[in-house]
Amino acid sequence: MDSAEEDFGDFRDEAEDAESEKDDLGALELYIEEHPNDHAQRWRLAKKLYMAWEYKRALEHLLVVKKEWRPKLNVRRYLAATHYRLGHYPEAIEELTGAIATWPDEVGLHEQLARMYEVSGKVDLAIAEWTKIAALKPGHSAAEKALARLRSHGKGAAAASGGEASLDMDLTSRTVCSHCGTPNSVDFDRCWNCHAALVRPGTPTPVVVRENEEKGSAAWLGTLALGVATVAFVSGGVYVTLREFAHVSDGPLLAPLSLTVDALLRRELLVPRLAFAGILFVGWILAFGAGFKVARAPMAPFGKLSGAALLLTSLTYLIAWAPVTLLLVLLPAPFLAAAGVIAISFGVDWIRGIGIWAVQSAMMAVIAIASVIAYAGPAPITEYMAISRYAVSREASLPAGVHAGPSQQKTPWEVEVSWQSTGSRWLDTLASRVTIEIVSDPVTDSSMAKLLRGRDSLRTELIKGTPYFFMLEVEPGQAYVLEAKSKPETTMSVRALGVLAPVFGVPRPAGLADADLESPARGAGR
């Protein structure tokens, strides 16, 4: 059976170099996972976790040490103190009474139990325990003061005593904290209650450094930065969404025609982008949860997980609206942002942080790719480079998306025309809708345009204004013929508008049956 002196010596014997790898909590926890029977190291880890305010994690290891290792006085005292910190008063009292049965003459245990009785409102039991202490150690000043206070104030004594009754680790050999007045073991470098640096008796008074306050301040600034970034990203996402919805609500005839690849993708993928954002938000919460489990880290609160998911989702959603040529460059941004969120918001050690980051990155990459494939197949991914090259080539031509055809041609005439492929079959399908603009000079009472594919007439338009627009869907690589006639004769100029680039042949004279001029209009003049 160990004596109190042996237990206090354990603190000194287990002192280690601050530069040692095992000084890092994460490294020490990984060591314990690999060496679960090294109870001396587990005991060290439990004390470090307690001093780091990680009481739940400390309790897990203390229970293992109590069950598997040789009986130790300070293990029982730490267990009681940890239960107290977690608000488990009955468990703390049970732990102390059990320890007193093993070490009945240990005054420190009786003091701790007496204070536990006080904070739990059991004044009569506290008086009885302080009485035992006075009998064990005559002249014990703390016992005499406590008995006088409790007997004079009754059940209000615990409240009247201020913080004195809450000293759950008041060891017999002690250094009093100059910051909060709490007694500490002589082997503690920092106060168990407020974590301030302790001043040893007979040593010069050092400058008290509140390390955790500094860390708290830095954490607060980091949280503020994440909050501001989230608001900015969400606001940006709402703005671009409302802007595109406003364009769509104008209607198909009045809405601006998509003349560039980026404008086309913004218009055609508006609703899919919103669905994609919802999938990402849920996915990131699940991915972070999986990361914590795989890394064996204490799970972060749901509020932090959802906040991190909102920030990363809104950032990714904004990136999805970027020009197609920049998507590949911006792709790493959400993954880098996730690393920052883990470091700032979750407060895990760097080893577990890397594990969480790796798991969530892999999961989110799979979720994002699967979402794209589920909606449009693999083409947007496999054909990305072709889409990007075409976007650059089209935007280099001014004005973008406007292609001149026959100019000032006297009717009747016809011209062959075909639209070139973008190099991406997926983009060809999205961009298949084009617009034909016809300008007549002068405007006649009866003008007509007809589009044919081989001998099949695809579209006939009766033109009664200028400029006149009509929309149609075309197939890249297919040959078409555009015919124009008017009564009386006039000159007509043609332009093709859209993402697909047309190739016009040389105009030649042509004729249309006069009966055709009586056909009703199918387009929209302007």
Side-chain angles (χ1 to χ4, degrees), residues 341-361:
V341 168
I342 293 170
I344 295 173
S345 183
F346 295 153
V348 295
D349 59 84
W350 68 270
I351 295 178
R352 282 186 167 83
I354 291 175
I356 295 170
W357 179 84
V359 171
Q360 67 84 33
S361 296

Side-chain angles (χ1 to χ4, degrees), residues 90-103:
E91 290 85 349
I93 292 173
E94 180 181 356
E95 198 64 52
L96 290 169
T97 53
I100 288 174
T102 305
W103 295 278

Side-chain angles (χ1 to χ4, degrees), residues 174-195:
R174 50 188 137 185
T175 301
V176 177
C177 176
S178 61
H179 185 268
C180 68
T182 301
N184 289 265
S185 165
V186 293
D187 301 285
F188 286 179
D189 293 321
R190 291 191 174 276
C191 176
W192 67 266
N193 186 45
C194 70
H195 286 238

Side-chain angles (χ1 to χ4, degrees), residues 91-405:
E91 290 85 349
I93 292 173
E94 180 181 356
E95 198 64 52
L96 290 169
T97 53
I100 288 174
T102 305
W103 295 278
D105 297 328
E106 178 53 47
V107 175
L109 286 173
H110 288 280
E111 287 185 8
Q112 199 171 348
L113 179 59
R115 298 181 192 281
M116 278 305 310
Y117 281 144
E118 286 192 52
V119 297
S120 57
K122 300 178 179 181
V123 177
D124 293 340
L125 292 175
I127 291 175
E129 202 62 38
W130 283 116
T131 302
K132 293 179 184 177
I133 295 170
L136 284 171
K137 191 175 181 180
H140 192 290
S141 59
E144 293 173 355
K145 292 178 181 179
L147 286 170
R149 169 170 47 78
L150 292 171
R151 287 166 178 165
S152 62
H153 294 283
K155 292 187 177 181
S161 66
E164 184 180 356
S166 65
L167 301 180
D168 55 331
M169 281 299 292
D170 181 17
L171 303 180
T172 306
S173 299
R174 50 188 137 185
T175 301
V176 177
C177 176
S178 61
H179 185 268
C180 68
T182 301
N184 289 265
S185 165
V186 293
D187 301 285
F188 286 179
D189 293 321
R190 291 191 174 276
C191 176
W192 67 266
N193 186 45
C194 70
H195 286 238
L198 293 175
V199 181
R200 298 285 186 272
T203 60
T205 302
V207 176
V208 177
V209 179
R210 300 298 302 277
E211 179 181 352
N212 285 282
E213 284 188 358
E214 293 174 357
K215 290 182 179 179
S217 177
W220 181 85
L221 290 175
T223 302
L224 177 63
L226 293 180
V228 171
T230 302
V231 172
F233 295 152
V234 171
S235 300
V238 171
Y239 168 74
V240 295
T241 303
L242 294 179
R243 181 190 64 188
E244 293 304 317
F245 267 120
H247 290 172
V248 172
S249 65
D250 288 339
L253 293 178
L254 299 179
L257 178 69
S258 299
L259 299 179
T260 65
V261 173
D262 290 324
L264 176 68
L265 295 180
R266 285 198 301 268
R267 188 177 183 84
E268 296 295 330
L269 301 182
L270 172 57
V271 174
R273 279 190 177 100
L274 290 173
F276 184 59
I279 293 172
L280 288 183
F281 179 72
V282 175
W284 244 306
I285 294 176
L286 297 177
F288 276 128
F292 274 92
K293 288 185 178 180
V294 173
R296 299 183 181 180
M299 185 65 67
F302 180 78
K304 285 191 175 183
L305 294 179
S306 57
L310 179 61
L311 186 152
L312 297 173
T313 299
S314 56
L315 171 61
T316 307
Y317 181 71
L318 270 181
I319 290 174
W321 290 95
V324 65
T325 53
L326 296 180
L327 290 180
L328 196 60
V329 177
L330 297 175
L331 185 62
F335 298 100
L336 296 176
V341 168
I342 293 170
I344 295 173
S345 183
F346 295 153
V348 295
D349 59 84
W350 68 270
I351 295 178
R352 282 186 167 83
I354 291 175
I356 295 170
W357 179 84
V359 171
Q360 67 84 33
S361 296
M363 286 189 62
M364 291 312 300
V366 171
I367 290 172
I369 293 172
S371 300
V372 173
I373 294 176
Y375 172 73
I381 299 173
T382 59
E383 298 173 0
Y384 168 78
M385 296 307 298
I387 297 170
S388 181
R389 285 193 298 268
Y390 186 80
V392 173
S393 66
R394 289 299 92 201
E395 291 173 2
S397 60
L398 295 176
V402 179
H403 313 277

Side-chain angles (χ1 to χ4, degrees), residues 380-431:
I381 299 173
T382 59
E383 298 173 0
Y384 168 78
M385 296 307 298
I387 297 170
S388 181
R389 285 193 298 268
Y390 186 80
V392 173
S393 66
R394 289 299 92 201
E395 291 173 2
S397 60
L398 295 176
V402 179
H403 313 277
S407 177
Q408 296 293 312
Q409 293 293 316
K410 189 174 183 180
T411 59
W413 55 261
E414 66 180 21
V415 65
E416 292 185 358
V417 58
S418 63
W419 279 264
Q420 296 175 312
S421 172
T422 63
S424 163
R425 297 180 65 180
W426 177 74
L427 185 57
D428 286 347
T429 302
L430 283 184

